[in-house]
Amino acid sequence: MHFAFLRARLTRVALLAFTLHTAPFTPHLSAQRPPAQPNAAEILHRMQKLNVLGSVLYIVAHPDDENTRLITWLANGKKVRTGNLSLTRGDGGQNLIGPELGDALGIIRTQELMEARRIDGGEQFFTRAVDFGFSKNAAESFEKWGKQEVLSDVVRVIRTFRPDVIITRFAPDRSAGHGHHEASAILAHEAFDLAGDPKAFPEQLKEGLEVWQPRRLFFNGSTWWKKDLAEFAKTDADWFTVDVGGYDPLLGVSYTELAGRSRSMHKSQGFGAAETRGESLEYLKFIKGDRPKTKDIFEGIDMTWERVRVPEYQARIQAIISDYSTVEPSKSVSGLTDLLNDMSWHNGVTGRAIHKLDEVNRLVGDCLGLSIESLAPRALVGEGHVASEMVITNRSNVSNHLLEASTNRHWEQEYPELEIKDIPAFGSLVIPFDDWAISYYVDEPFWLRHPHGNLYKLNSEREIGRPADQRKINLAIQIGTDTTAVVSRSVLPIHKWVDRVAGERIRPVYVTPVASVIPKVNNLIARGGTQEIEVEVEALTDSLVGQLNITLPEGWGTTKDIKRVHIAQRNERQQFTFQLMPSANAKPGAARFEFVGPKGKADRTLHEIDYPHIMPQVYYTPAEVKLVPLDVKTTARTVGYIKGAGDDVPQAIEQLGVKVDIIDPATATLQSLKTYDAIVVGIRAYNTVKPLKELNPMLKQYVEEGGTLVVQYNTTPSFGLSGVRDMVVDPPTLGPYPFKITRDRVTVEEAPPTFLDPKHPLLSTPNKITTADFGGWVQERGLYFLGELDPHYTPLIAWNDPGEQPLNGGLVTCDYGKGRYVYTGISFFRQLPAGVPGAYRLFANLIAPRDGR
């Protein structure tokens, strides 16, 4: 072996590996789950993809918009490189599986998309646009986002990914239904032209990107929206029909079976899908570009190695495929490493087909059965170092050699103890090493490192488009003992354990601050007098000492005693109580808490997200409590709450000084219900809580005998879909009298209210509700309003989005027997946790018991 040559080769591989690890077009390098070892048939399937250089980019607005049937067919059937660009991370939606909303929901939906792509073979991208909730037109979306900013991101992804074909899920007009949908199509149409224009966003070209002109743009129509599309497409020359229902014997499934599994990853939205078999037609309308001369959407597009001027690779790869042994995949290693060597020195590959270099790099390790794990004894590392071990298992007859290891960008850590080690054939190499936690760089979703409005603020342009980012250890491994072939592997540090029920489980290792500072409430509704706030400090390292400090807004005071922190072991907590004294002119604002000690500072709360279908995630929120001096009266003393799809309304009700009990619908009795002044039903409870079918008649009886029942919004089916919109009761029978649950909503949170019955008790008792109570609202007024009301119902508020007719179904009530029934589509589940004062005053009225009860 010529060491100087090997070092030069290693240096080039390292540089290429850095490019691969920092570019947004290598999904497995960004995925937060270690890649699974493919079986022999799957390896062959991946080899076949080496000889296909075509690419398609699918553009949508939100997680779940993408057509997984088409993506699966493109990535596996046509074997073209397939990407999905979602403008947003879905953080403005609702959550079927838990209480996470806003940024936390965006984390879940990001991971769901990555798990979906892991199944269907696509790659995932995002722009900086934040999902601010339902938008009724693209103009509103662009006003909030900034059209040029998001257009720049779409152009950047196109220039980076270099698609031959772009497909939109929506049309660029109001038929798209959602303003974000319409905006995604408008941006795709404009970016199609601008990506190839050197005058458009020239700053991207100065960064090293090159212009790229896609060949053609299609719109993926649907028979959900246009019932006669199948017949229409037979005679309209602009429409192309493809059958995506084929069966792949190497994968052992049809593309639509895989698509169903991929679609079912969108669990936070309840989009479980069937795994269908047989013919499945998709319809693509040609919009612009180079019109195909046949019914093949790829007609005329060179998808061979000729396009990068190395046509000889086509035959070389075909020879590797022909010689491939399913019983001994390692026989292909020699041919693959020779190909890898040539590719890494060929400018045509490293410049315009570098993803193929990465595919070959991966295939070498797959054919070796190479398993690499970086194992840590715990998942959260607060400071200092953690004694880890690297376990490399070589399940082939080819001896290998570990050359060097270092972390990816930001962390820039080297591991000399991992260098120059033999990896025996059919053996394992176990190396203990110290993995250092870098105190100034905490693991968190990169798009949430900075406060944001309607656009995420990123550290650099390189992060635009990326789905996620995580610290990894990059290894350079020499293949064989007397060869210059070197491959790179990227390893996610993980913590592994065995659950008695679930079996082996893993989670990423996260670097954290030294402590998590945890206020017990998000908001403090100050109704006069001394207030108390409880705060816990959780140690994320052993021997945590220091003190907990508080900073208050103007007009607030607290006691002078020092809150000393002394926690012996990590994960233990210490609780503190702060006495707050508001003056007569106390200002609203935030009480901020910070731990300070010799090991470091911490002023944020660590949150963990752990659902079975995604890898556990961590994120942080400021350690603060919103202080809201508020003149609010409350007559309810005890409230029963029936949880729905997940919200923080029960905790908010407690801020009104009300005792809240969680009701189990499966065991509740009429007698137990009658102990409450009011009962509140959580959002989408009738969509998700099956025992409500039997409880609902009892709830009506509770009202009839004098109770107050407040039902928050539910949804009904649309677009032929089921899942989250399937109700456990027939919607017209939900209340005492019939009504219809519509999809009407008011999305502009500043929309002025019109009081239809100002003297009604719900608008006057115990708090007089005025227009001022509707200031400072977040995201929207409400959603899924009622319509077709029985005459017994009284609508109380009307409002409308600009240019639309007023809607009066957001807050509706009726007397029933001795009690009161209230249905509200007002988004209290957003307003109350956000500390909106008027929302608290209005909700106090809704739960007030009727006179004489």
Side-chain angles (χ1 to χ4, degrees):
M1 175 178 61
H2 302 287
F3 186 79
F5 182 79
L6 179 60
R7 178 59 61 182
R9 164 83 179 119
L10 174 59
T11 300
R12 180 165 178 82
V13 167
L15 290 173
L16 289 172
F18 177 81
T19 302
L20 290 168
H21 295 319
T22 56
F25 50 56
T26 48
H28 61 268
L29 298 179
S30 296
Q32 301 218 337
R33 185 187 298 275
Q37 169 67 33
N39 61 43
E42 290 168 340
I43 291 174
L44 179 57
H45 188 271
R46 294 182 184 186
M47 281 185 180
Q48 292 173 349
K49 294 186 72 169
L50 290 178
N51 260 343
V52 182
L53 272 69
S55 56
V56 176
L57 183 64
Y58 200 89
I59 298 181
V60 299
H62 313 105
D64 87 7
D65 287 346
E66 80 275 17
N67 184 341
T68 58
R69 293 182 300 276
L70 193 56
I71 289 175
T72 305
W73 174 75
L74 288 166
N76 298 280
K78 301 301 290 184
K79 295 182 172 58
V80 296
R81 187 174 177 223
T82 307
N84 178 59
L85 170 60
S86 177
L87 298 188
T88 75
R89 296 178 184 267
D91 28 3
Q94 291 85 50
N95 184 1
L96 184 71
I97 61 176
E100 296 87 1
L101 295 172
D103 288 339
L105 180 58
I107 295 171
I108 293 173
R109 293 191 175 178
T110 294
Q111 292 299 317
E112 288 179 337
L113 274 176
M114 292 170 69
E115 293 293 340
R117 299 294 81 79
R118 183 182 175 91
I119 293 170
D120 60 34
E123 304 176 33
Q124 186 60 50
F125 308 97
F126 294 97
T127 74
R128 290 171 292 168
V130 175
D131 181 357
F132 56 81
F134 190 87
S135 171
K136 291 188 175 179
N137 55 69
E140 179 195 26
S141 302
F142 292 143
E143 181 181 358
K144 288 183 178 289
W145 290 333
K147 181 179 179 182
Q148 287 301 109
E149 287 83 350
V150 185
L151 179 59
S152 169
D153 291 359
V154 177
V155 169
R156 179 183 292 274
V157 172
I158 292 173
R159 286 174 172 173
T160 303
F161 186 73
R162 298 173 175 267
D164 298 307
V165 175
I166 292 177
I167 302 175
T168 68
R169 186 47 165 159
F170 304 104
D173 53 43
R174 295 304 307 123
S175 68
H178 195 310
H180 295 174
H181 295 170
E182 180 185 3
S184 71
I186 291 173
L187 294 172
H189 283 220
E190 295 186 15
F192 179 88
D193 298 320
L194 294 177
D197 182 356
K199 296 179 181 179
F201 307 108
E203 68 279 3
Q204 296 179 4
L205 306 183
K206 293 178 182 178
E207 296 166 18
L209 287 177
E210 297 179 358
V211 294
W212 178 259
Q213 181 57 58
R215 290 285 297 273
R216 52 193 64 137
L217 174 69
F218 291 95
F219 158 56
N220 181 200
S222 172
T223 53
W224 282 346
W225 307 319
K226 186 176 177 59
K227 300 301 182 184
D228 61 346
L229 180 57
E231 290 301 316
F232 188 80
K234 292 178 180 178
T235 57
D236 191 316
D238 284 339
W239 284 94
F240 292 72
T241 303
V242 295
D243 180 6
V244 300
Y247 171 76
D248 194 316
L250 291 179
L251 300 179
V253 292
S254 64
Y255 306 126
T256 46
E257 286 177 278
L258 278 181
R261 297 172 192 175
S262 172
R263 182 80 174 162
S264 296
M265 287 296 103
H266 294 298
K267 298 184 187 301
S268 65
Q269 303 183 72
F271 280 159
E275 300 177 16
T276 61
R277 299 161 186 82
E279 182 184 75
S280 180
L281 301 182
E282 289 292 335
Y283 303 92
L284 300 170
K285 183 180 181 181
F286 175 77
I287 301 298
K288 64 168 68 176
D290 172 19
R291 180 189 291 272
K293 296 181 176 61
T294 67
K295 282 300 182 179
D296 178 7
I297 63 173
F298 294 104
E299 183 276 326
I301 298 175
D302 185 359
M303 295 196 287
T304 71
W305 283 97
E306 179 67 45
R307 70 188 295 169
V308 291
R309 299 177 182 176
V310 279
E312 64 273 17
Y313 283 3
Q314 204 80 21
R316 288 181 63 179
I317 292 170
Q318 187 55 52
I320 294 172
I321 293 172
S322 299
D323 293 340
Y324 176 71
S325 170
T326 56
V327 296
E328 196 173 351
S330 60
K331 288 183 176 180
S332 297
V333 168
S334 177
L336 288 170
T337 53
D338 287 346
L339 183 64
L340 183 66
N341 273 337
D342 289 351
M343 282 182 168
S344 62
W345 291 99
H346 197 290
N347 290 335
V349 176
T350 57
R352 297 205 170 191
I354 194 170
H355 60 283
K356 291 299 180 185
L357 178 67
D358 181 52
E359 289 175 17
V360 176
N361 179 71
R362 296 291 306 177
L363 276 167
V364 173
D366 293 340
C367 287
L368 291 170
L370 201 60
S371 168
I372 307 176
E373 294 180 309
S374 172
L375 302 175
R378 58 182 182 271
L380 304 180
V381 182
E383 57 86 31
H385 70 275
V386 57
S388 302
E389 65 178 16
M390 185 72 68
V391 181
I392 305 177
T393 304
N394 177 10
R395 293 171 286 194
S396 75
N397 61 357
V398 180
S399 298
N400 300 299
H401 202 65
L402 177 61
L403 295 176
E404 69 175 29
S406 61
T407 51
N408 53 328
R409 61 194 181 92
H410 299 312
W411 291 269
E412 298 178 355
Q413 179 181 349
E414 295 184 353
Y415 301 91
E417 62 266 53
L418 299 182
E419 294 182 3
I420 317 299
K421 307 287 185 184
D422 287 329
I423 309 170
F426 297 114
S428 294
L429 174 64
V430 180
I431 317 169
F433 70 102
D434 281 342
D435 197 3
W436 287 86
I438 300 179
S439 59
Y440 59 84
Y441 205 91
V442 169
D443 286 325
E444 60 185 321
F446 71 87
W447 64 94
L448 297 179
R449 290 184 191 128
H450 307 290
H452 65 81
N454 291 318
L455 278 183
Y456 294 117
K457 296 180 180 179
L458 307 182
N459 282 343
S460 74
E461 291 77 9
R462 280 184 175 274
E463 293 179 334
I464 297 173
R466 293 182 67 88
D469 200 5
Q470 181 67 35
R471 186 173 63 97
K472 300 177 181 69
I473 300 177
N474 301 326
L475 307 177
I477 299 174
Q478 177 190 357
I479 306 303
T481 56
D482 55 356
T483 176
T484 58
V486 178
V487 299
S488 63
R489 296 300 290 261
S490 180
V491 186
L492 175 72
I494 61 171
H495 171 60
K496 181 188 293 188
W497 75 102
V498 176
D499 182 276
R500 291 185 64 182
V501 175
E504 182 173 283
R505 291 200 64 190
I506 62 172
R507 60 174 296 163
V509 175
Y510 293 109
V511 175
T512 72
V514 296
S516 176
V517 182
I518 311 166
K520 303 304 288 184
V521 294
N522 296 323
N523 306 303
L524 178 65
I525 305 302
R527 304 187 305 279
T530 299
Q531 312 288 317
E532 288 189 351
I533 296 180
E534 292 183 352
V535 182
E536 290 184 341
V537 175
E538 179 180 0
L540 301 177
T541 180
D542 292 331
S543 303
L544 184 73
V545 295
Q547 68 183 50
L548 182 63
N549 300 325
I550 183 172
T551 304
L552 293 169
E554 181 182 346
W556 293 81
T558 186
T559 56
K560 301 297 184 182
D561 57 308
I562 298 176
K563 310 295 186 184
R564 300 190 184 280
V565 177
H566 193 292
I567 305 175
Q569 294 183 333
R570 73 180 75 246
N571 301 129
E572 291 185 349
R573 296 187 180 192
Q574 187 176 351
Q575 183 169 301
F576 302 90
T577 300
F578 287 84
Q579 305 283 334
L580 303 188
M581 290 82 76
S583 64
N585 57 356
K587 304 296 185 184
R592 296 184 172 89
F593 303 91
E594 181 183 38
F595 165 82
V596 179
K599 289 190 173 182
K601 299 180 180 181
D603 62 357
R604 296 192 293 171
T605 305
L606 169 69
H607 304 271
E608 297 188 60
I609 298 173
D610 190 0
Y611 292 104
H613 66 300
I614 61 175
M615 288 288 279
Q617 304 294 304
V618 299
Y619 70 101
Y620 299 87
T621 55
E624 61 184 34
V625 175
K626 186 174 183 179
L627 304 180
V628 185
L630 183 62
D631 177 19
V632 57
K633 300 180 180 66
T634 308
T635 56
R637 295 186 177 182
T638 60
V639 167
Y641 199 93
I642 300 173
K643 284 192 171 183
D647 59 60
D648 291 327
V649 172
Q651 296 90 324
I653 297 174
E654 290 177 336
Q655 285 292 304
L656 293 169
V658 177
K659 182 179 184 296
V660 179
D661 293 335
I662 302 301
I663 296 174
D664 181 356
T667 60
T669 65
L670 180 61
Q671 197 61 35
S672 66
L673 297 181
K674 291 170 70 174
T675 62
Y676 299 110
D677 295 326
I679 294 173
V680 180
V681 182
I683 59 173
R684 294 159 73 181
Y686 285 94
N687 298 119
T688 60
V689 183
K690 292 183 178 180
L692 270 175
K693 180 177 182 179
E694 287 71 34
L695 184 65
N696 198 54
M698 194 184 303
L699 290 174
K700 294 181 188 178
Q701 188 176 352
Y702 161 79
V703 175
E704 190 174 18
E705 296 187 15
T708 295
L709 178 65
V710 180
V711 177
Q712 297 177 86
Y713 87 90
N714 290 268
T715 64
T716 51
S718 68
F719 302 128
L721 295 175
S722 58
V724 299
R725 288 167 288 270
D726 285 340
M727 298 193 69
V728 298
V729 300
D730 188 25
T733 68
L734 193 151
Y737 307 103
F739 54 58
K740 179 182 179 181
I741 299 175
T742 74
R743 301 191 66 78
D744 293 340
R745 62 177 75 204
V746 175
T747 63
V748 176
E749 53 267 27
E750 300 87 2
T754 298
F755 301 118
L756 303 177
D757 188 357
K759 295 183 180 180
H760 192 283
L762 293 183
L763 296 178
S764 60
T765 306
N767 304 289
K768 176 64 176 177
I769 304 301
T770 69
T771 302
D773 288 305
F774 292 91
W777 282 42
V778 298
Q779 185 161 325
E780 63 201 0
R781 288 300 193 195
L783 63 172
Y784 302 109
F785 289 176
L786 294 186
E788 299 181 15
L789 299 173
D790 182 277
H792 287 88
Y793 290 107
T794 300
L796 298 178
I797 299 176
W799 34 29
N800 60 276
D801 284 325
E804 297 187 359
Q805 293 298 312
L807 301 173
N808 66 0
L811 181 58
V812 173
T813 187
C814 73
D815 292 335
Y816 182 63
K818 299 177 182 179
R820 176 184 295 141
Y821 181 89
V822 181
Y823 187 99
T824 176
I826 295 174
S827 56
F828 285 109
F829 72 101
R830 298 192 191 279
Q831 313 309 322
L832 295 177
V836 176
Y840 278 91
R841 285 168 45 83
L842 178 56
F843 208 87
N845 287 10
L846 300 189
I847 61 176
R850 292 195 64 186
D851 293 341
R853 184 167 189 266

